[in-house]
Amino acid sequence: MSILRKLAVALAVLSGLLVVAAGIAYAMFDAAAIKRQLIEQVAAKTGRSLRIDGEVGLSLWPEVAVNAGQVGLSEADGKTAFASLAALRVAVAVMPLLAGRVEARQIEIDGLALTLVKRRDGSLNIDDLRGGSAKPASAAADSAATSGGSQPLQLDIAGLALRDARFTWRDEAAGKLSQLSAVDFSTGRIQADGAAGRLNIADVRLALRGSSGDDRVDAGIELPSLQLDGQQLSTAFAGTLALSSPALPMRNIKLPLAGKLAADLAKSTAALTLQTSLDASKIALNVTVDRLSPLFFNADLKIDQLNVDHYLPPARSGAAPTPAGQGSGGAGGAKPAGRIDLTPLEGLNFRGQVAVGQLQVRGLKLSVLDMKLAAGDGRLDIVPLRARLYGGSLDGALGVSARGNVFTVRQNLNGIDIRPLLADVLGKEPLEGRGSVAIDVNTRGQTVDALKRGLAGQASLALRDGAIRGVNLAKQLRDAKAVLRGGKSAASAPEAAEKTDFSELTASFRIAGGVAHNDDLAMKSPFLRLGGAGDIDIGNGRIDYLARVSVVETSKGQAGKERDELRGITVPVRLRGPFDDLSYTLEVDALLKDAAKAKLDEKKAELKEKAGRKLEEKLGDKLKGLFGK
């Protein structure tokens, strides 16, 4: 009983001491003074205004916890809101505290709101918080030595929770606003041993919802653990990425994610493997980081098959091109053309390779696509760019530079079937045949219209055993015959059922100011020859071309007889109008002039032949008299 009484007394004394300690702690806890000191220190060190509108509280059991609510931090101007949080709670375990160790039970942050701004001059609204305060490593070491050193970090936190956070990114130069809302981040136990250089974070979970304009993104990532051992960081992860947008045909897509990350912090290197699938597409990405500052990495992307058209909004149809000289917001209330922003290229430094088994983009179908990419100094180059398509092959290069928004395209297509290619890309089939196409062009501009009008370079076409669809040159010959007999010829619209066959077709183009000029068109068929010259105005979507048709052979029958009447005459056909509403007509004046010249030449030849016969007859008579015969 003596021992029990002593234990009871001891417990009573200890309880009393705890009660007294708690009372002293509460008495000494001055919330108003703490608020005032925090506000003054933030103002002195950053020049920003700290606001604490809620209560600052202290609890001692079952854990020591500090609570604060309605906290806000201003921009550097001291007025505009920069960051705020609804509530903050930091809890510390009591028993380890009595043993001299600090073990946080939980760190909880609710309703964090943070706004980052990129100003028009390229500066950020956090630049004043990032510069000038850090000590050099040598100075920090000297400071630690003079102060007797410091204990290695020992950290043991039961969990970290960030709930309902919101992040806003505003780019004033580009006029863009992006937001992440409903961000939830949590972890299990966090343990750090500074002396051993170990860090382990268990059960990391991240869920977020974001938006940019009308587009939405939902993402969830789970890491069973994140481990740092010395300078070696490693983790495996799984999760999902969901995207929703009114512009997507299916409105929503979801991608499962799985992969691994390993990093050597001492060498500033890292390696990431990531696998996902998109409907029937299997996608694998491998990234190796050669250095972290400035960032440089190598990437290898492999996709077995991908139909991008399933995930793109439908192309606008029937939109008239913007007339030359008219601004993007010109007459008629035209919607301003979107600017092409290449500034993200300025921060990219990487090398990469992309391989796709089967690919479809805006109707264009490719297979065995192989691209090598290199980015640096504000430029992206794709060399080589190879693929198989439409029975042939593609081999070329692409280049994009952020300095001046410059684009370069060099492509050689060999052995391709031109008709299905044009049908898939343009939705039209103006040509048939198999052969080659070469393109070497460059342009610059801030919008698509500007890029079209800035096109310069050259292109060529060589096809065999094909046809020009929508134009029947035999019909034009009949119209030409009617004109020669005193009739009239009216403008005609191309008809899909009509075509003109050829055995060979070649043409080359010189491109300047968005206008492709050709003067060496050459088409051959058994009975016809076609040449021509004119312009294709790519910038404004118009054609003005004069084709010249001539008969070189005749055949038996009625058609041969009709062509006989046109031998030696060139039939001029004018092709003119916007791309989607072309019309062709005979150049009557030129035809009549050519016919008159042909008749005159024919008359001269006839007279010359007749005069020759008469001269021959006279010479014959004289010769007869001379020899007496």
Side-chain angles (χ1 to χ4, degrees), residues 555-567:
S555 63
K556 297 179 180 180
Q558 182 65 28
K561 183 178 179 181
E562 291 179 350
R563 284 193 283 265
D564 278 338
E565 298 179 12
L566 293 170
R567 290 196 65 183

Side-chain angles (χ1 to χ4, degrees), residues 236-323:
F237 62 89
T240 60
L241 175 64
L243 304 173
S244 63
S245 170
L248 289 171
M250 73 293 298
R251 296 293 187 269
N252 300 281
I253 59 175
K254 181 179 288 188
L255 294 86
L257 301 175
K260 295 181 179 180
L261 172 66
D264 188 326
L265 302 183
K267 297 179 180 179
S268 294
T269 61
L272 169 70
T273 63
L274 181 66
Q275 297 84 38
T276 186
S277 61
L278 183 60
D279 295 331
S281 305
K282 304 299 181 184
I283 303 171
L285 174 65
N286 293 315
V287 178
T288 57
V289 178
D290 292 349
R291 64 172 184 262
L292 293 174
S293 182
L295 178 64
F296 181 86
F297 63 91
N298 290 275
D300 186 358
L301 176 64
K302 293 182 179 179
I303 306 174
D304 61 344
Q305 58 178 318
L306 180 62
N307 188 338
V308 179
D309 291 346
H310 285 168
Y311 313 102
L312 291 178
R316 292 187 306 166
S317 60
T322 305

Side-chain angles (χ1 to χ4, degrees), residues 1 43 70 81 86 98 184-185 191 219 267 279 316 323 353 383 392 415 418 455 504 544 562 577 601:
M1 293 299 294
Q70 303 301 317
L98 296 176
D184 292 324
F185 176 77
Q191 293 176 295
K267 297 179 180 179
D279 295 331
R316 292 187 306 166
Q353 183 168 351
V383 184
I418 195 72
L455 275 172
E504 182 180 337
D544 188 358
E562 291 179 350
D601 291 341

